[in-house]
Amino acid sequence: MSPLNDLEIDAPLSPKTTVVNVGSDPPGSLIFDPETVTIKSGDTVSWVNVDGIPHDVVFKTVPEGADAEALSHKQLWSTIGESANSTFTVPGEYDYYCSPHLGAGMIGKIIVEEDSRRLRKLLDDATEIVE
């Protein structure tokens, strides 16, 4: 019996999108809500402006192999409902901030975990090809 058979597969393999509210409703708090999110490799984060104040998303630190520039959204957006999306494929911790509000402590963190369910599917598919 393969150790892969011991992996728990408890959710669909499709990537997920996690929403992070940018600002607060009603306006007044310069925050990312939630401040920290944990996602799986291949998932997307969607930042949505909820207060109509100009914001951006700029990555300060990313894991080796990830591209901070490509993940960042440096153009300010200020319309309620306006959003920016990034998909994360490299496991690790990503720290980001809103550049106009960094002094006010507007920071966030994304923790990307390896998705063993997707790894299991890839290995199963590879095994079928070899057999």
Side-chain angles (χ1 to χ4, degrees), residues 43-88:
D43 287 351
T44 297
V45 173
S46 179
W47 292 272
V48 179
N49 186 315
V50 297
D51 64 7
I53 297 171
H55 297 288
D56 62 7
V57 173
V58 179
F59 282 87
K60 179 180 178 182
T61 57
V62 299
E64 185 176 335
D67 184 347
E69 280 296 313
L71 293 168
S72 293
H73 301 278
K74 294 182 177 181
Q75 181 172 345
L76 295 175
W77 72 96
S78 59
T79 303
I80 292 175
E82 199 170 353
S83 65
N85 304 308
S86 292
T87 300
F88 296 83

Side-chain angles (χ1 to χ4, degrees), residues 32-50:
F32 291 107
D33 182 27
E35 183 176 319
T36 300
V37 295
T38 301
I39 63 173
K40 300 292 186 186
S41 177
D43 287 351
T44 297
V45 173
S46 179
W47 292 272
V48 179
N49 186 315
V50 297

Side-chain angles (χ1 to χ4, degrees), residues 22-23 29-32 51 53-56 76-77 97-107:
V22 181
S29 296
L30 300 172
I31 59 172
F32 291 107
D51 64 7
I53 297 171
H55 297 288
D56 62 7
L76 295 175
W77 72 96
Y97 59 90
C98 174
S99 61
H101 305 119
L102 178 59
M106 192 168 179
I107 59 172

